[in-house]
Amino acid sequence: MKRFGRLYEKIGAFDNLLLAEKLARKGKRYHSDVAGFHLRLDENLLCLSEELSHKQYVPGAYRAFHIYDPKERLISAAPYRDRVVHHALCNVMVPLIEPTFIFDSYANRKGKGTHKAISRYQMYAKQFPYVLKCDICKFFPSIDHEILKREIRRKIKCEDTNWLIERIIDNSNEQEEHIAYFPGDDIFTPYTPQAPELPIRQPDQPVLGNVYLNRMDASSKKNCACL
């Protein structure tokens, strides 16, 4: 398996942060925190670049609120400067790891999406008599941080980049309560202290979610092809 290195300098480069800020600002330019950051843009980006360069970057606290689309969800919004860092990370990381995902992975990927997934399903429905419809309950709240970090390290060998990703993961705030039992658990296992879950709707979280499930996707596709 190919692993990617020497990424960290690209992430913290001023030009990449400038592009990341433009992406983070899209559709939000009149928000007070965005306008405040943009008012002293060069100074703020240089500060971020220096913090990343010296590994002194510390994420801020999330702001949590609920939406209904159509069911209730807890959304966690990172401070704007952190969203810039999330986009800077994705700018460098996503083009490298995207080709490692299976073709039939459609969530949160450029050129994919719901309509393409439906079209692909309709093609398969003409070839096979059965379909398995399933869902992962509370996907982001149920992600195990240590497994996610391990899966990321299978793809990225740059230690500084892994430091940044793990710092972002470890700064996740508390999400909705999710109680689940797995083989080997006892009745008290779900109540033991655990790391906070991944927040929903941050720029980097869909990518991390795809990394988390990628090996299962690949294994499922391989096994189905053998049937």
Side-chain angles (χ1 to χ4, degrees), residues 71 85 115 163 180 203-204 216:
K71 63 183 179 180
V85 174
H115 295 295
W163 168 84
D204 56 331
M216 185 191 76

Side-chain angles (χ1 to χ4, degrees), residues 139-150 169 194-196 198 212:
F139 173 56
F140 282 105
S142 67
I143 287 178
D144 184 303
H145 284 194
E146 295 310 311
I147 294 176
L148 175 59
K149 292 174 185 178
R150 187 168 69 237
I169 291 173
Q194 299 178 357
L198 288 185
Y212 190 74

Side-chain angles (χ1 to χ4, degrees), residues 26-108:
K26 189 175 181 180
K28 301 179 177 67
R29 66 175 63 223
Y30 298 114
H31 293 196
S32 59
D33 56 341
V34 178
F37 189 95
H38 197 259
L39 185 64
R40 304 172 66 179
L41 181 60
D42 287 355
E43 180 181 338
N44 286 323
L45 293 183
L46 285 171
C47 182
L48 268 180
S49 183
E50 284 293 312
E51 289 180 17
L52 290 169
S53 176
H54 296 94
K55 296 175 74 172
Q56 296 174 340
Y57 168 70
V58 178
Y62 285 88
R63 177 176 61 88
F65 56 94
H66 287 86
I67 65 170
Y68 302 85
D69 67 339
K71 63 183 179 180
E72 183 178 8
R73 294 178 184 270
L74 175 65
I75 303 300
S76 300
Y80 184 67
R81 74 191 306 268
D82 292 335
R83 298 203 297 274
V84 172
V85 174
H86 296 171
H87 278 287
L89 173 62
C90 289
N91 288 347
V92 175
M93 182 176 70
V94 171
L96 298 175
I97 64 174
E98 266 283 324
T100 70
F101 298 150
I102 67 169
F103 180 84
D104 286 320
S105 174
Y106 290 90
N108 302 296

Side-chain angles (χ1 to χ4, degrees), residues 150-166:
R150 187 168 69 237
E151 290 302 307
I152 291 169
R153 286 181 173 272
R154 285 172 55 86
K155 295 183 178 295
I156 296 177
K157 63 182 178 181
C158 175
E159 284 301 317
D160 289 338
T161 300
N162 284 323
W163 168 84
L164 176 60
I165 295 172
E166 292 178 6

